[in-house]
Amino acid sequence: MLPNLTPDTDLAAELFAGLRAGSTDGEGVTREAYGPGERMAHALVRAAADRLGLESTVDVAGNLYMTLPGADRAAKRIVIGSHLDSVRQGGNYDGAAGVLAGMAAVAGMKRAGFVPGRDITVMAIRAEEAGAWFPVSYPGSRMALGLLKPDGLEIRRQDSGRTLAEHMKEEGFDPNAVARGEHAIGAHNVAAFLELHIEQGPVLETEQVPIGIVTGIPGSRRLRQARVVGEYNHSGATPRKYRRDAAAALAELVHRMDEEWCRLDAMGHALVCTFCTMATTAEAGFTKIAGEATFSLDVRSVSPHACDLMFEAMHRFMADIEARRGVRFERGPETGSRAAIMDEGIRAGLARAADALGIRHIPIASGAGHDAAAFAEAKVPSSMLFVRNQNGSHNPKEDMRMEDFAAACAVVQRWAAEMAQ
């Protein structure tokens, strides 16, 4: 029989305010990975853990573990967590809500004198926002789990140009230990991982449901540094048949990829396809035919086959456009991540907890990548809980009603207490 537990959402509200105050960047917040913003956030959360009397440790990659000891210290632990970095001028809840939900849950247990049967650890993960800082998926959690290959440490942060290893050393951590394979957690010592996160789309808000239980996290195939090479020429003096127009070639590729997406969608393939950036280069100008254009492409799906179908179509389209328009596509290096199906047992436990508390919920697929995918890859039973969010994500206007957050924290706390028995 579980005791009457209530999460400490006042503590969470205090920490949300502290994070915002310490990382305000104009209208939004910026907490750069392995930089001052993320450092501030980790220090703030660790100070709160110290006040609560939690056991705090940091691994060789800088991930922070704040533990409420259980009765059986040798048993596999329960881990609740997410990341504390943000995109540039982003919102205050993306990532941080998952860490602070864990803090609220264990603080409420501590206040009630509840001793779990096994350790419950709140984890603050480093550098999840790969698109904003390091172009590799989930480097912080992958280093914690021993999944990051040594060459991943040489990937450069996109604003500074310096490597992940250099930034880690600057923050006082040990990339050499990561390269040797040292890591803190995995299937050998973690029974389950749960990540709470704001939903980054409109489904829960539209359906008027406070929380969603995530069914899966998409994998991706990405081109970050692709370009089309044609020929610069005079816009007035060059007839169409003599043109090698990179801008027109890119526009055609975008149109044909969008039509292929529509075709696959109608066939039941769930995926998204986004040309995130498209631009002509500095040499372009008025009265010039564009001799070069750059672009980045992000294709995501829970089904690897769906991503493969889009890339196969892209290769066909590129070959046809090259032959007809006299241009050359250079795709550059491809990056990506694996899809992850969330653990059915944890999903069922979350549903039981929500039902016991009278909190409405629906199953929902994630459209974005999250650290839970790395845990699933490491064979750790993993799941996610989404909280209703207004105004999207990765922007200063992202929002979250505190009553929805409190409901989600209550579900997290009840699930963790049951799992830790």
Side-chain angles (χ1 to χ4, degrees), residues 241 243-244 249 252 256 315-329:
K241 66 180 180 179
R243 293 183 177 218
R244 297 169 58 197
E252 182 179 347
R256 293 180 70 172
H315 292 146
R316 294 195 307 271
F317 299 153
M318 285 180 172
D320 179 53
I321 294 167
E322 284 177 334
R324 285 188 298 100
R325 292 186 177 273
V327 299
R328 183 179 76 255
F329 284 93

Side-chain angles (χ1 to χ4, degrees), residues 5-86:
L5 297 173
T6 305
D8 188 350
T9 53
D10 288 341
L11 171 64
E14 173 195 324
L15 292 173
F16 276 129
L19 289 172
R20 186 181 296 280
S23 56
T24 297
D25 182 8
E27 188 180 355
V29 301
T30 299
R31 296 191 283 268
E32 58 272 65
Y34 289 107
E38 189 181 59
R39 182 194 317 145
M40 174 281 301
H42 277 245
L44 181 75
V45 171
R46 181 165 187 167
D50 291 344
R51 294 198 306 271
L52 291 172
L54 303 180
E55 295 180 359
S56 294
T57 59
V58 177
D59 67 18
V60 293
N63 297 297
L64 172 62
Y65 307 86
M66 299 161 286
T67 299
L68 176 65
D72 182 359
R73 302 303 307 273
K76 291 184 179 183
R77 70 179 77 177
I78 307 297
V79 179
I80 304 165
S82 192
H83 61 98
L84 289 175
D85 64 323
S86 78

Side-chain angles (χ1 to χ4, degrees), residues 28-347:
V29 301
T30 299
R31 296 191 283 268
E32 58 272 65
Y34 289 107
E38 189 181 59
R39 182 194 317 145
M40 174 281 301
H42 277 245
L44 181 75
V45 171
R46 181 165 187 167
D50 291 344
R51 294 198 306 271
L52 291 172
L54 303 180
E55 295 180 359
S56 294
T57 59
V58 177
D59 67 18
V60 293
N63 297 297
L64 172 62
Y65 307 86
M66 299 161 286
T67 299
L68 176 65
D72 182 359
R73 302 303 307 273
K76 291 184 179 183
R77 70 179 77 177
I78 307 297
V79 179
I80 304 165
S82 192
H83 61 98
L84 289 175
D85 64 323
S86 78
V87 300
R88 192 175 299 280
Q89 291 193 319
N92 200 39
Y93 301 113
D94 183 343
V99 179
L100 302 195
M103 294 291 287
V106 298
M109 292 176 181
K110 186 89 171 173
R111 181 176 55 198
F114 175 71
V115 179
R118 63 181 76 220
D119 290 2
I120 299 177
T121 295
V122 181
M123 183 178 177
I125 302 170
R126 292 275 177 171
E128 190 269 353
E129 294 292 2
W133 308 112
F134 296 99
V136 60
S137 297
Y138 328 124
S141 52
R142 291 176 68 82
M143 287 188 282
L145 294 157
L147 298 176
L148 188 75
K149 295 179 180 178
D151 60 2
L153 295 164
E154 298 308 310
I155 290 174
R156 296 183 180 275
R157 208 172 84 175
Q158 297 181 127
D159 60 338
S160 70
R162 294 187 292 126
T163 66
L164 173 58
E166 289 171 329
H167 278 280
M168 288 173 65
K169 286 179 182 177
E170 187 174 70
E171 294 298 310
F173 307 122
D174 191 351
N176 293 326
V178 172
R180 292 193 299 268
E182 293 184 25
H183 60 283
I185 54 174
H188 65 288
N189 64 359
V190 178
F193 174 76
L194 176 63
E195 182 174 9
L196 178 146
H197 205 281
I198 57 170
E199 188 204 358
Q200 294 172 281
V203 176
L204 294 175
E205 176 69 6
T206 302
E207 298 292 331
Q208 291 298 292
V209 178
I211 63 171
I213 298 172
V214 176
T215 57
I217 298 171
S220 64
R221 293 186 67 175
R222 293 168 169 171
L223 302 179
R224 296 174 181 268
Q225 301 169 28
R227 66 177 188 151
V228 194
V229 180
E231 182 178 77
Y232 287 102
N233 223 319
H234 194 286
S235 64
T238 310
R240 189 178 190 280
K241 66 180 180 179
Y242 299 122
R243 293 183 177 218
R244 297 169 58 197
D245 189 331
L250 178 54
E252 182 179 347
L253 178 66
V254 173
H255 174 68
R256 293 180 70 172
M257 289 287 282
D258 187 61
E259 290 203 321
E260 181 69 8
W261 179 14
C262 289
R263 188 183 74 83
L264 293 175
D265 187 64
M267 294 172 62
H269 295 286
L271 65 106
V272 293
C273 175
T274 309
F275 282 83
C276 302
T277 63
M278 296 182 289
T280 51
T281 55
E283 291 84 355
F286 197 70
T287 75
K288 278 188 177 182
I289 297 165
E292 183 178 344
T294 62
F295 66 96
S296 59
L297 174 65
D298 182 8
V299 176
R300 305 188 193 196
S301 177
V302 173
S303 164
H305 180 56
C307 292
D308 293 344
L309 288 174
M310 282 300 291
F311 264 65
E312 288 167 10
M314 179 191 73
H315 292 146
R316 294 195 307 271
F317 299 153
M318 285 180 172
D320 179 53
I321 294 167
E322 284 177 334
R324 285 188 298 100
R325 292 186 177 273
V327 299
R328 183 179 76 255
F329 284 93
E330 295 180 358
R331 291 183 290 275
E334 180 181 331
T335 62
S337 60
R338 297 180 183 178
I341 304 301
M342 297 290 91
D343 183 81
E344 290 187 8
I346 301 177
R347 288 165 53 197

